[in-house]
Amino acid sequence: MTMQGPTRRSVLLATSAAAFTVGCGQYGDENGSGSDTVEASPGTELARTSDIPVGGGKIFKDEKVVVTQPEKGEFKAFTNICTHQQCPVASVSDGTINCNCHGSKFSIKDGSVAHPPATQPLAAKKITVEGDSIRIA
């Protein structure tokens, strides 16, 4: 009786599946239960209004917030954590907040999903604008 070892294909498939599981597992689940989220304190100044471009936005990585200005003088804020696999979003351009992990995009107007795979919007954050100062509410 001759015993054959695993085929090259089965080894590659098993290795790929394990790598995929480990890679996706590090960001938490789609319900936003990542455990290392630390929120900025109320009153913390994030930026000056002139720092946020009209039709764009800016990511504040340490504070875990994205501030956008969809229309002149209108400021919005959202969590910077993608709802798909809990990756931090990477950029704001062309009217969307963009996650590079899997390609999800969110509207700068309301955080809604503009491009999947995310199915849930970014959570809104409360900010105050006093004069030219944008602060965490």
Side-chain angles (χ1 to χ4, degrees):
M1 176 177 193
T2 308
M3 297 198 82
Q4 290 185 350
T7 65
R8 181 173 183 264
R9 177 176 285 176
S10 65
V11 170
L12 287 173
L13 287 172
T15 304
S16 296
F20 178 76
T21 301
V22 169
C24 288
Q26 73 185 23
Y27 298 110
D29 64 27
E30 193 158 332
N31 295 323
S33 64
S35 61
D36 62 345
T37 301
V38 177
E39 303 212 6
S41 303
T44 301
E45 183 175 66
L46 291 172
R48 310 306 273 173
T49 56
S50 59
D51 296 335
I52 312 300
V54 176
K58 186 172 179 180
I59 299 168
F60 298 91
K61 183 179 175 183
D62 292 342
E63 293 81 4
K64 302 196 182 311
V65 175
V66 179
V67 177
T68 64
Q69 187 176 188
E71 304 288 334
K72 186 173 174 69
E74 177 188 4
F75 296 91
K76 304 283 184 164
F78 308 96
T79 178
N80 78 327
I81 303 299
C82 179
T83 59
H84 175 243
Q85 295 256 329
Q86 312 310 293
C87 291
V89 296
S91 66
V92 181
S93 63
D94 300 322
T96 59
I97 301 164
N98 311 303
C99 180
N100 287 347
C101 287
H102 301 102
S104 294
K105 295 177 184 275
F106 303 88
S107 169
I108 65 170
K109 295 178 181 180
D110 59 10
S112 63
V113 176
H115 186 273
T119 59
Q120 300 295 314
L122 292 177
K125 296 288 190 174
K126 292 184 180 180
I127 55 171
T128 59
V129 180
E130 296 176 12
D132 64 351
S133 178
I134 300 172
R135 298 182 181 275
I136 299 290

